[in-house]
Structures are given as C-alpha cells and as structure tokens.
C-alpha cells in the first residue's frame, strides 16, 4: 500500500510504534491547464487534491494525525470543521477503528461533506455558531475529555500536508516559480512553504516559489489584517474569520516575497465555471479561489511570460453539488420522441 506514510516516511516523524495507516492518499494529478495556460501565456498546472480518497487535501495531514493519536493511546478523535476535515477525520478514524466526534457550523456545510462524515460513522454535532466557535468547543472537549484533537492546531496535520509540495517538486523536477493557494485557517499554505523549504535544504529544489494566498473577500482576515467576526462566502471551506495559523502563513508569504489577496464570490464562481467548462476539471468553490486570484493578478499587473505556476485545487467539486447546480444552465425536459429531441438539438 502506498500512502503518505509509506512514500514520505523518512521525512515524517514516524517511530516503530506509529501504525502505517493508509487509504493510499496523495499522488494526486498535477494537471496542465493547456487551454487557460496558453491564453495567459504561462506554464500553469493545477494540483488536483480532489483526487484524494475523501476528496480533499485534508487526507494528507489526517492520516498522520490519526496514526499519531493511535500511537499515543488516544481512545477517540474530535475536530471542528467546515466539512472536509470532518470527512477526512471520520474516514481515517473508521479505518483505524477509533470513534470520531465532529463539530460542524449548523447549516453551513456542503452536502457532500456532511454525507461523508455520516456514512463513515462519525458522531456529528451541528453547532449553532460559526466555525471559530465550533473550534473553541472542540478544543474544550479535547482538554476536558482527553480526546485527540485533529484540527490543524494538531502539528501532525501540517507535517503530513507538506507531502503535496514534495510531490509537485518530484514531478516538476524543481519547485514552481509561483504557487497560488486558497487560504482559510492558513494551515495548508504554511505546510506547503515548510515542505518547499525542507526540499530546498535537502537539495531537491533549486528555488522556492513565491507564495500567493487567496481568501474570499467576505472572509479575508489575512488580507485586511483584522479578524472577521461574521465571515461569509459561498466558499464554505474558507469561511473562517480567525485563522489559527495566521502567524505561520504571514511568515510564509513574507519570506517568499508573495502576498495575500482576496476575490469575490462572483469571481470564485466564475473561476469554477471556467475551470469546468474550459478544462474539464471540477473543483469545489474554495479551491477555485486560487484560479480566481491568479486571474485577478493577470488582469492587474499581468503575469511574467512562461512563468511556471502551480495552483492548488484543494477539494473535489462533487463535495458541493448545490454550489454548482445553483449557477449552471438548467436542463430541458422533453417527451420521449425523436421529434422533440430534434427540436431541442437544432435550437
Ligand atoms: C480546508 C480547506 C481549505 C483551507 O485550508 P486551510 O489550511 O484552512 O487554509 C481550502 N479549500 C478546501 C477545499 C479545504 O477543505
């Protein structure tokens, strides 16, 4: 079996007592955007994290977090989640035979993600409050009841997530020149940066990418430099007002010479449609913030010709069918006869 713990075990804090948990996560495709890339005049690829076993990059860190929880003797895991963390936690806990408790902000979780947490057998608790409140409660549950918390406050999550940066370098033969990535709790951007730096130290890359972190304009604490008490965006996976890993992410962006920028919900949804209709790639709204951000830079100052860019598509479009259905042209229904079909097809 070839998951993160097997392929990158040498770079991760494994001991003999760490169970080699795996759902064969990672090794996701790095898809060249042949149509959009040539229009923009750059070498643009997307890291399609929707191809992970639970459909998002969260699997990379969760496999390590749950393995380490087992190693430390934890009897159950708990997390707060905008959806994908809960899906990953529930799946790896199921695989490992551990109970899993997930706290979700009521009414704000995409349907696919909720379906996953339920079918994997997690105890799902819907909290009448936003993600940041749910996280406070999960931390409390962890302290009071001794459950292992597997949110990105858990250091193993970010360590496992470095593997995406390593895979990109392994495939490109070097780091990209620029990395564009959606930012919610700001763990993933920090993990990528740590991963690139680690590979730099090991001599596996000759350069480090400029890190561009993209937030939704209704939940843009890192762009505006202030917390958002009522974050709001169609991109529910990045609907976060107080990013836990804000400091690390600021460090990553600063050291790399990059920046944070925000995009509107309209820009996010337009990027989602563009990606699907021009490239045949379906990613959930939060993921498409990366492409929306890149398009914004292109419109603003332009992109250096031929630049080697990777945009991270963090989660699968199937996670959030409502977001896609809400903006797609409606179907036509016809009687079951050739006459009706011919009419429709020749319109
Ligand atoms: C979790 C998640 C994000 C945000 O990642 P952070 O590490 O919280 O910044 C973005 N997109 C998707 C699909 C996610 O599941």
């Amino acid at each position: 079996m070839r998951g993160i713990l097997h392929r990158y075990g040498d770079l991760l804090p494994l001991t003999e007592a760490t169970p080699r948990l795996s759902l064969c996560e990672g090794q996701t495709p790095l898809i060249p955007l042949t149509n959009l890339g040539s229009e923009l005049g750059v070498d643009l690829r997307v890291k399609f994290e929707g191809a992970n076993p639970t459909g998002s990059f969260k699997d990379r860190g969760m496999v390590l977090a749950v393995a380490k929880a087992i190693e430390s003797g934890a009897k159950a895991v708990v997390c707060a989640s905008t959806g994908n963390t809960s899906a990953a936690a529930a799946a790896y806990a199921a695989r490992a035979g551990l109970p899993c408790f997930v706290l979700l902000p009521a009414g704000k979780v995409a349907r696919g993600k909720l379906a996953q947490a339920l079918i994997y057998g997690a105890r799902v608790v819907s909290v009448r409050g936003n993600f940041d409140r749910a996280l406070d409660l999960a931390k409390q549950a962890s302290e009071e009841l001794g459950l292992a918390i597997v949110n990105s406050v858990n250091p193993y999550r970010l360590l496992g997530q470095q593997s995406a940066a390593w895979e990109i370098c392994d495939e490109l033969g070097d780091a990209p020149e620029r990395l564009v990535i959606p930012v919610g709790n700001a763990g993933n951007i920090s993990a990528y940066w740590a991963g690139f730096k680690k590979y730099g130290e090991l001599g596996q890359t000759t350069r480090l990418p400029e890190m561009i972190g993209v937030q939704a304009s209704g939940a843009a604490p890192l762009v505006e430099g202030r917390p958002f008490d009522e974050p709001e965006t169609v991109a529910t996976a990045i609907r976060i007002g107080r990013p836990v890993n804000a400091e690390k992410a600021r460090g990553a962006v600063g050291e790399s010479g990059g920046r944070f920028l925000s995009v509107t919900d309209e820009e996010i949804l337009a990027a989602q449609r563009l990606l699907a209709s021009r490239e045949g790639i379906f990613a959930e709204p939060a993921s498409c913030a990366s492409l929306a951000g890149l398009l914004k830079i292109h419109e603003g100052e332009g992109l250096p010709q031929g630049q080697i860019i990777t945009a991270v598509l963090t989660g699968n479009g199937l996670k959030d069918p409502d977001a896609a259905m809400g903006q797609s042209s409606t179907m036509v229904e016809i009687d079951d006869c050739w006459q009706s079909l011919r009419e429709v097809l020749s319109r």
Side-chain angles (χ1 to χ4, degrees), residues 130 132 215-232 239-243 262:
N130 63 27
D132 306 276
Q215 299 206 285
S217 53
L222 288 160
V223 180
E224 298 198 9
R226 63 171 177 94
F228 276 54
D229 288 329
E230 309 219 326
E232 209 42 78
R239 183 176 168 268
I240 290 171
R242 296 172 185 274
S262 65

Side-chain angles (χ1 to χ4, degrees), residues 30-54:
L30 187 63
I31 311 172
L33 295 194
T34 41
N35 298 319
L36 297 174
S38 62
E39 268 165 42
L40 299 174
V42 293
D43 178 345
L44 176 57
R45 292 159 211 242
V46 289
K47 183 68 171 158
F48 186 64
E49 291 290 276
N52 275 299
T54 79

Side-chain angles (χ1 to χ4, degrees), residues 56-58 84 182-188 237-238 240 284 286-287 314-315:
S56 86
F57 75 84
K58 299 296 200 296
N84 283 331
V183 173
N185 240 331
N188 208 28
I238 51 173
I240 290 171
E284 67 169 284
S287 306
T314 44

